[in-house]
Amino acid sequence: MKLKRILRFGLPKGSLQEATIEKMAKAGYNISVSSRSYIPYVDDKEMEIRMIRAQEISRYVEHGYLDCGITGYDWIQENGSHVHEVGEFQFSKVTRQPARWVLAVPEHSPIKSVKDLRGKRIATEVVNLTKKYLRKHNVKAEVEFSWGATEVKAHELVDAIVEITETGSSLRANNLRIVDTLLYSTPRLIANHASWKEPWKRQKIQTLALLLRGALEAEAKVGLKMNIAQKNLQNLLQTLPALRNPTVSNLSLKGWVAVETIIDEHIVRELIPALKAAGAEGIIEYPLNKVVY
Amino acid sequence: MKLKRILRFGLPKGSLQEATIEKMAKAGYNISVSSRSYIPYVDDKEMEIRMIRAQEISRYVEHGYLDCGITGYDWIQENGSHVHEVGEFQFSKVTRQPARWVLAVPEHSPIKSVKDLRGKRIATEVVNLTKKYLRKHNVKAEVEFSWGATEVKAHELVDAIVEITETGSSLRANNLRIVDTLLYSTPRLIANHASWKEPWKRQKIQTLALLLRGALEAEAKVGLKMNIAQKNLQNLLQTLPALRNPTVSNLSLKGWVAVETIIDEHIVRELIPALKAAGAEGIIEYPLNKVVY
Amino acid sequence: MKLKRILRFGLPKGSLQEATIEKMAKAGYNISVSSRSYIPYVDDKEMEIRMIRAQEISRYVEHGYLDCGITGYDWIQENGSHVHEVGEFQFSKVTRQPARWVLAVPEHSPIKSVKDLRGKRIATEVVNLTKKYLRKHNVKAEVEFSWGATEVKAHELVDAIVEITETGSSLRANNLRIVDTLLYSTPRLIANHASWKEPWKRQKIQTLALLLRGALEAEAKVGLKMNIAQKNLQNLLQTLPALRNPTVSNLSLKGWVAVETIIDEHIVRELIPALKAAGAEGIIEYPLNKVVY
Amino acid sequence: MKLKRILRFGLPKGSLQEATIEKMAKAGYNISVSSRSYIPYVDDKEMEIRMIRAQEISRYVEHGYLDCGITGYDWIQENGSHVHEVGEFQFSKVTRQPARWVLAVPEHSPIKSVKDLRGKRIATEVVNLTKKYLRKHNVKAEVEFSWGATEVKAHELVDAIVEITETGSSLRANNLRIVDTLLYSTPRLIANHASWKEPWKRQKIQTLALLLRGALEAEAKVGLKMNIAQKNLQNLLQTLPALRNPTVSNLSLKGWVAVETIIDEHIVRELIPALKAAGAEGIIEYPLNKVVY
Amino acid sequence: MKLKRILRFGLPKGSLQEATIEKMAKAGYNISVSSRSYIPYVDDKEMEIRMIRAQEISRYVEHGYLDCGITGYDWIQENGSHVHEVGEFQFSKVTRQPARWVLAVPEHSPIKSVKDLRGKRIATEVVNLTKKYLRKHNVKAEVEFSWGATEVKAHELVDAIVEITETGSSLRANNLRIVDTLLYSTPRLIANHASWKEPWKRQKIQTLALLLRGALEAEAKVGLKMNIAQKNLQNLLQTLPALRNPTVSNLSLKGWVAVETIIDEHIVRELIPALKAAGAEGIIEYPLNKVVY
Amino acid sequence: MKLKRILRFGLPKGSLQEATIEKMAKAGYNISVSSRSYIPYVDDKEMEIRMIRAQEISRYVEHGYLDCGITGYDWIQENGSHVHEVGEFQFSKVTRQPARWVLAVPEHSPIKSVKDLRGKRIATEVVNLTKKYLRKHNVKAEVEFSWGATEVKAHELVDAIVEITETGSSLRANNLRIVDTLLYSTPRLIANHASWKEPWKRQKIQTLALLLRGALEAEAKVGLKMNIAQKNLQNLLQTLPALRNPTVSNLSLKGWVAVETIIDEHIVRELIPALKAAGAEGIIEYPLNKVVY
């Protein structure tokens, strides 16, 4: 009798949950979370999903309760977890900037650098990261755990905070000034060291990483097709190196070819006007599900 | 003077409503339901939509108030409606399992099979299906109509229930055990017998069925393109029969070809790693709106 | 030192807001509106977005507080704003009908034409448009500004209303009868006259218009691919002029070709059955992001 | 050893649920319904609450699964349940009119009386009540069970409906005309016959009825206090018989008395101006929790 | 034959709607607004309610479409309506401050007084009030109608705004500074001049005003009872003049009396400790529905 | 010049927030929290409110950032804060049971007592309380901080949890068994030691405590009035000691008296039937705002 092989996979509950499940679906793994059960359904009989707070995933991967998981680099560091990092992924589409933990103070605070924190009180959700940062700069200060709404505390309850931000707009709205950046953080796929040594599990995790990366790549890219007169083709390809390695095929209309390629979505705004200028016609942009090189 | 030709089409109101309208949009029929009017808008002047409870559609199709409609196989059977079944459709994507009506009892109930129901009380929304099932097994029991929340009743108000389930997780959450399955049910497109005999209506219904099927097929499939060296092509096609009947075209880069095909979305997870292993490069997966063979 | 170049762009706040931001994203401009800040984020460092009521945008474009903006033709006319109209866009997908401002009265009102308004009271949000309409028809009547819920007023508070409608269903639900149409209105991209004369701003606005139009075109179109026997190709193309200028490429299967083209989505319902009848196989419809001719 | 005595009490789930729980709280029984458990909490250790559809309560009281319950007179009749009716209660405050089941048809229908139903189709949720009504009038017609949205069906799917209404405004909004009233219905407290014979249960049910009635009475009444000169008192009491049996006490101010009584809230509008006219001063109205005569 | 007498009463739709309906219920008039009908139900057969924007009520009262209505003093002035003002009412409980229309500018704006507005642009919802204010101060400036979100405009689209505020906190949150106050506004009950001359209507409006005032008074007051030794009574009453005209009655316990009175709720915080200090025991505070002097 | 005296008062943000604000309003302090500002409005110019997580309040009271605050006994203990405890308050009405922190394990776990925890892992939000509990029982085990959803972890991620519960129903729903209780917790009003020594602050805090207690007392009590024949009075008072110290006054009807008193709301269910049996008539129960002995 053969035992059923299972990969235990931890996904972050809470603010990242919806985005993560959507990305997993794009990668090909359909997950549905029910309010009735704490074990989500996934359409892969060799996989079991657990929804766990991002703050705790690395701890349970390290201890082997989970084979692998997706969590932020920040919490892996905060927990000091010994895990294998399989890869880095970027989920957020709009800003395309990694989140970062920053030291912030009220706009008119006399604190201008980490040195000015000597003897002060700092509130943060990442107590260990903050203590390590202070040690590195040889500064003694009190660090207290904040259960939330940290930004509001900077004005009267403590002298400074260490808080996460993406664009800084929430800090500005609270009249806070960024003094320093402690850590940049992006989502990571991590694995338990023992699980990573098992060939079946490692391969399954690698496939997952391949497909997830393919889905994320596809979000930042689009397919592009256009028609162009044969005589203009060479010029087009030379002046627009962004069209790397295109597929060129003949059209039924003599002297014309179809050109097709994959490009970064964020250059479309500049590229399409340039393509028109170079003689391209019937330009079509279409969406992609996955891009795997 | 020519009379305006109209097809009256019933769609299920309630829990299936949103999914049905979304599938119809994918098929090419844009419907918008207004809270102000009980007659939804559809962008086809030869069609009139009525939103009716799934339980009642087959009855109104049978009587000719509707020319056709979409409803579950379960309610056609429960109502004993004489209608023409045009086709079967599967709407739910996540689980890809048909719904089924099951006989369920509390986990520790002494009832182990239909025979143990003799003299017992059963609550259900499908009174006729349940009575027919009991007759088939030659068991006499009392069947009472349940207005809802049937699962809760199994523990104290009745001895057993007949209830619908997809994955069984809601029954398990209520500590109920499945004893038997009475009926598997999927959505059906049904037509009134007289309407089906009118050529214009039959053709309109068939077109609708064709497009709806095309849209549903497309949900379970994706397009796949990749580049491969000419010399590896034969090997690729032989080892991967899933790539049936692909389009192969020459690339501008000598010795390389582009391969394009349509495959089932649920094999992508296995296929992409295999394609990479077989030498494919620049693998692109893209979404489809309709697939009509 | 070079000054940073900025284009100030006004988008309509309120009922059109979500649709506009979605269309902008399709055009390639990702905007995110935060509840914390009245300045939305846009991933283009040369652009600044302002969310302003559709009623007011043309006024601020005229005065130069904004370089350009998207608003309805109705409000440009109501405000009598002197602005450069860059182009017309149609956002609504379902009905594909432009909105229109109509004169409406209770169903059983004696008012049958504009002439019958003499000496009556009319409530409307577009006081100037209504007064201009009355002047044109040489009718003297009182026009009062309505702060909302105008439809309800027609029954007792005033004699007639001038109100916006798309399908007329809301008017019918209020038992109102349309007497006349004053104005058809569609969204417009408008520019300040001075901004339009600056080459850098004009080009940036034109690129925006090109991409927005490409995205809107793509919403009403789909890509279509199919395989057909070489011998049937000519017949297919002749009988189906909708397949204009297709790409035809050879398949690996001898004697068969692949045909690919872009068509209007609203003819798919008629086209696909016809394609099947003409011998096409493996018909695939896929979505588009942009179509630029 | 003494067994724990328990009264099983069924409350209507759904549209009446919130109102019923609020009235029970006013009667002194605090109930809290949790989404986690189908057994609500009640702060009376001798009572167990079950939330059950109003349509089904009388059935389970009759069979003894429940000792007593609150449900509508309509469903007791529809189910033909043999139960003991403990009392009638009126929950709705605003309209103070009982609900009624009416026969309704489209405004311009030729059906003017029950006699015109001969051979017609009627949709209703109360199939038994409707059949009984037809038998009483010696009319043969088809009655079919409606799963909901019955009002909409009257216009095309059936010839008439039997539907519940309070003020008739929903019927009017659907352009329906009331032909006849089949039944007036109010909430009833009912008991299982055997439970009613047990002294402990009967007394517990009677106490519950007493307190619930006290709470409902209190909703329709208010306390009223005022000061009046001794010399005007007799006149006040004679001209205002609504002030029945007041408490009269002396004030510290010589020659003045305080008058206090309980009156129906709906006469306050007429009474207070009359009291002022009769010389009352410092009139105070205060709320009541319970009124038990 | 006697015609049915009807009083047409306009209530403000929108942000004040819920509060107004609640106050009317406290006054004894139960109103229920249905989403199905634009005519609310009221349990007074001689009254008809219309929900109309606060901005428009005075206009329709002036023209006689409504006999009376509740609206703000601001909109009566803005519209310049000739109506009879029956009385002033204060609805808001928390802050007990009237709303006011203020002239506001960005914190660092050079505008310090109305004189600095010369030649500037002002955005506001109350164009007439603002123009009148400017005329009074002999200042020429441009005033434009703002459709909403006026606060945001002050920073870049105009030079100043005239906006409504209660505590000023929303202005502060937008970094705006108040320069001057144009108008304080409270809710008013107004009547059409002709309606006010009809005795039946005037009396009905006066009764309504009496009861509404009684209900509003009761919100700001509470009943207070306490026991005190006879010997301490005189001292208590002298030192606490807030206990005006109390009811004093003898207790069964010899030498003790019960004291009862009505006081302003906002002095309870100071009064209760003082009462305890003066020897009062068993102090009870209870709520009131109406207080009519 | 006299400085403005201010009391800084911390209230718990989050799940207890609404209840706390409601109780404060009953005590006479109207607070309104705005989404625009982190400083709530309170209608007492000598008080400033801060909304802070219950977990953190005792820390900020200890350090003097707040003069006083309301928080749970559990978090005072967990933080080991040195603060002055002014009083204990019970907020929850329905169950009237204090919350408690319990040690819980899966139903079928071998862990039966604290001794069985040796060498195990425990997840909890109260790490310090749990460690102290283990030390007291001389048990070595690993305690890890849980960021939430602790109940779910007990089944696979850890061996036991320490979690808060009121009725235990949420634990039962998760199939967990309570092994031991670590701590009972109720809300406390706490003060900073230095603030408590300042006479003005101490008096202000004591008044607040007096009024808050008066409001909470009033929630659990009701006023009761009834009429009874003079001859039955003595018997009534003797047999019903719950009617302690009632006010007895003469009625206008000779031989009858009115009896009035305050009683615990939870005995009303038993008392009212007994009062009727003892001859009481016209029994009235009315609500109270405050009860101060």
Side-chain angles (χ1 to χ4, degrees), chain F residues 193-212:
Chain F
H193 281 302
S195 303
W196 189 247
K197 280 180 196 134
E198 273 185 58
W200 179 82
K201 287 190 175 173
R202 184 196 287 218
Q203 197 203 317
K204 197 154 181 74
I205 296 170
Q206 281 173 329
T207 297
L208 197 156
L210 178 78
L211 295 168
L212 193 55

Side-chain angles (χ1 to χ4, degrees), chain D residues 27-30 32 36 41 43-44 207 210-211 225 245-248 260 262 286-293, chain F residues 94-97 151 170 173-174 222 225 227 250-252 258 265 268-269 272-273 276 282-287:
Chain D
Y29 300 84
N30 292 300
S32 84
R36 297 288 203 97
Y41 170 89
D43 62 349
D44 181 338
T207 296
L210 178 76
L211 294 168
K225 293 184 198 179
N245 198 19
T247 310
V248 177
E260 181 163 8
I262 304 301
Y286 61 91
L288 304 172
N289 284 345
K290 291 200 190 71
V291 174
V292 178
Y293 296 114
Chain F
V94 173
T95 60
R96 260 170 279 179
Q97 294 166 18
E151 285 162 351
S170 171
N174 277 291
V222 291
K225 294 185 198 179
N227 299 336
N250 293 317
L251 281 177
S252 52
E265 197 253 345
V268 166
R269 297 199 306 231
I272 284 182
K276 279 203 73 171
I283 305 167
I284 306 300
E285 180 196 318
Y286 61 91

Side-chain angles (χ1 to χ4, degrees), chain A residues 19 22-24 26 90-94 96 212-222 263-266 288-291, chain C residues 30:
Chain A
E22 186 209 321
K23 304 306 181 200
M24 287 295 289
K26 288 188 169 175
Q90 187 55 284
F91 280 14
S92 165
K93 197 183 169 187
V94 173
R96 258 170 281 180
L212 193 56
R213 190 172 306 285
L216 291 174
E217 281 284 333
E219 289 197 343
K221 298 205 183 298
V222 292
I263 59 161
D264 283 352
E265 197 253 346
H266 72 96
L288 304 172
N289 284 346
K290 290 199 191 72
V291 174
Chain C
N30 292 300

Side-chain angles (χ1 to χ4, degrees), chain A residues 8-66:
Chain A
R8 285 211 157 182
F9 187 20
L11 295 180
K13 198 174 181 154
S15 64
L16 275 177
Q17 179 170 323
E18 214 180 326
T20 308
I21 286 176
E22 186 209 321
K23 304 306 181 200
M24 287 295 289
K26 288 188 169 175
Y29 300 84
N30 292 301
I31 295 166
S32 83
V33 178
S34 149
S35 62
R36 298 289 203 95
S37 161
Y38 73 100
I39 303 185
Y41 170 88
V42 59
D43 62 350
D44 180 338
K45 294 192 173 164
E46 296 175 339
M47 198 183 277
E48 272 194 15
I49 302 290
R50 290 296 179 276
M51 304 306 301
I52 293 175
R53 291 286 195 108
Q55 292 96 325
E56 300 177 325
I57 283 181
S58 74
R59 197 203 278 162
Y60 294 116
V61 170
E62 180 181 12
H63 293 321
Y65 292 98
L66 300 170

